[in-house]
Every structure is written in C-alpha cells, then in structure tokens.
Amino acid sequence: GASVRDAVRTRPWARARQRAHTALGPSGWAERWALTGAPLWDVTRALTERIRTGVIEALAEGTGTERADRETAVRLALLDAVLGQHDAPWLASVADGSEDGLAGLVAVARAAGWCWPYEKAVVIAERPAELHRDEAGRLDRGDGPALAFPDGFALYAWRGMPVPAAFLDQLGELTPDRIRTEENAELRRVMLEHYGYDRYLDESGAQPVHRDETGVLWRIDLVDDEPVVMVEVVNSTPEPDGTHRTYWLRVPPRTRTAREGVAWTFGLDAETYVPERET
C-alpha cells in the first residue's frame, strides 16, 4: 500500500506543535524548545543525515544512468521513513502529545529505530547496536565502527569525518612515510591526529623554515627524492566544541614562505593572496 507517513507523523506533529504554540505563545514555545528539543536537535539531525548518506552509498550501486536511478529510488524511500528514536528531540518538545495522535510515535521512539509505515504493513528497523561519539556529539571511533546496526550496516568516522573501514585498520601501523604519501588531505589529517603532530615532526626530521600570519612552513628533506614541504594552517571556522582544526597542506618544494604556500593552494601567488575575510 501507499505510505501513511503524512497521516501518522507529519500531521500529528503539526497539530501538537500548533497546540503548544497557542498555549504557550511565541516566547513560551521558544523557551520550551530551548529546554527540551534544542539540546539534541543539531547532533541528532547531523546523525540522521549521515545515516541517509551511508544508506545511499551502500545501495546505489552501478554506474551512469543505472546508479542515478537507484540513488533516486533510495532517496525517495528514505523520505518515507519515520525516524523512531531519532524523533525524540521534537517529541520531547510537545511533552504529552497523546491527544494529537503522537502516542504511537512515542512508543516507536522508545523501542525502535527507523520505520516505514504503509497502509497494510510496516517495515521497522532495530536501534543501533553501537554508537560512539566525541565530546561534540560527532561520530568518532578509531578502532571500529562509530555506528553499527545489528544487520551489519555500519558507519566509520574519526571526529565526525567519514572514513573507509579499511582505513582505521592502518592507524595502528602508521609510519611517517605512510602519512607523507597519503594523497587525500582529509585522511592525511586523520593520520596526523592519530599519530601525533609532535611525534610526526620529530620522527620525520621536519624543520620549520618560515612562519607568518598565514601559518608555518615545514620542510622534510628526503634521500634521493625532492623535499616534502607542508604548510601548517589553522582552520578559521571553529568546530562544534569551539576548537580549531589544524591542517597540513602539501605545497611545491620550491615554496619559501607560508604565505606563498597557502596562496598556491588557491591558485594565486603570494602578492595577490590578500584575503579580506576568512570563513
């Protein structure tokens, strides 16, 4: 049969929210949301989006038109989902919503994961068997899946960044050479964070050759090879926990200043790289 998500989730939620908004007024509703759903909303929404992306990646196989068609089908199916436990933030904001038809959703949220309600059947999923997050609420685990379901579906992440499952197996065997030869900047950053920046610089023989307001230029001289030159930069956008990520950008061996290296990553020379604002 057809999906009944609108009847069992969308419309009951709208009624409950309107009832609460009418009873409390705009400021009262805002205060209730701040005390109930808001603390969970951002981290839960980010998690559900990551799950959706993972499901699409797992099911949208093939190439070209075939892959595009499968991806569209999976996306449409995911739109019909009721999110079970991940509906808890907004369910908490309307407290007892039984009179608005939310009792069923509350029961599902307490006992199960996502489900797909149709006219004559419901497809319902278990909750995750494992969930690992960092202090900012991001998926984070260095020795296994950060999120795992009983059927084997799993997501791997390091401090919120998705990583391949096989990648984590390498972290215990890292060497400066392995880190240096990684082409993916995000994965190289994960390797450096796991290995330790100080340890890497000490064991790789790196030397700081220049520093300015854009960053620090490091140089590693290699035998029978061109030197490895990297710029250490700090991301101007803070993480959810208020910290700023440090990145290492590999630049051409001829680079002489940190500004020149950062400018090169934008396709500019040092003289024309004069950012008015960083975001």
Side-chain angles (χ1 to χ4, degrees):
S3 171
V4 294
R5 181 183 186 276
D6 186 62
V8 303
R9 184 182 189 271
T10 305
R11 283 181 283 176
W13 157 237
R15 289 195 300 268
R17 184 181 184 279
Q18 184 58 50
R19 185 187 299 275
H21 196 278
T22 300
L24 300 171
S27 60
W29 167 252
E31 181 179 358
R32 172 180 283 191
W33 176 253
L35 293 173
T36 55
L40 293 172
W41 179 252
D42 287 339
V43 293
T44 303
R45 181 174 57 180
L47 179 60
T48 58
E49 288 304 313
R50 182 67 189 93
I51 292 172
R52 285 191 176 95
T53 300
V55 171
I56 292 169
E57 292 174 348
L59 297 181
E61 301 173 341
T63 58
T65 302
E66 179 186 1
R67 179 180 179 83
D69 290 344
R70 285 186 61 86
E71 182 172 326
T72 298
V74 174
R75 288 184 184 276
L76 290 174
L78 291 172
L79 290 177
D80 287 335
V82 172
L83 304 186
Q85 70 180 117
H86 296 143
D87 276 335
W90 67 264
L91 285 170
S93 69
V94 292
D96 181 12
S98 57
E99 59 190 52
D100 296 298
L102 295 180
L105 289 178
V106 171
V108 172
R110 286 174 171 160
W114 294 16
C115 68
W116 285 258
Y118 297 96
E119 291 175 325
K120 300 178 181 179
V122 175
V123 178
I124 192 162
E126 296 277 4
R127 287 181 170 191
E130 292 188 61
L131 176 62
H132 303 268
R133 308 195 205 211
D134 63 11
E135 65 282 353
R138 302 170 297 185
L139 290 178
D140 179 44
R141 189 180 180 188
D143 59 353
L147 179 74
F149 286 83
D151 69 346
F153 176 79
L155 300 176
Y156 296 80
W158 174 269
R159 298 184 181 175
M161 194 192 84
V163 296
F167 174 78
L168 295 178
D169 296 335
Q170 307 171 15
L171 294 182
E173 303 173 356
L174 286 177
T175 65
D177 285 342
R178 174 66 185 90
I179 296 172
R180 189 166 51 247
T181 57
E182 174 56 52
E183 297 181 356
N184 185 300
E186 289 285 350
L187 295 183
R188 187 165 62 243
R189 179 185 58 77
V190 172
M191 290 177 171
L192 285 166
E193 288 182 352
H194 189 274
Y195 197 75
Y197 293 109
D198 293 344
R199 178 186 175 192
Y200 176 78
L201 293 174
D202 180 61
E203 295 184 5
S204 63
Q207 296 293 326
V209 295
H210 181 266
R211 68 180 67 230
D212 57 30
E213 71 279 6
T214 66
V216 181
L217 187 70
W218 294 86
R219 179 186 179 94
I220 304 172
D221 291 313
L222 304 175
V223 178
D224 298 327
D225 198 357
E226 64 181 15
V228 172
V229 180
M230 295 186 293
V231 181
E232 175 188 352
V233 296
V234 178
N235 190 1
S236 59
T237 303
E239 296 298 306
D241 61 0
T243 61
H244 292 260
R245 282 185 173 179
T246 298
Y247 285 88
W248 299 75
L249 309 176
R250 189 165 181 178
V251 295
R254 65 178 183 277
T255 304
R256 294 294 177 262
T257 68
R259 175 176 291 279
E260 181 185 350
V262 174
W264 178 84
T265 67
F266 289 98
L268 303 172
D269 56 38
E271 289 71 26
T272 55
Y273 177 70
V274 187
E276 296 182 1
R277 182 167 61 94
E278 292 183 295
T279 61

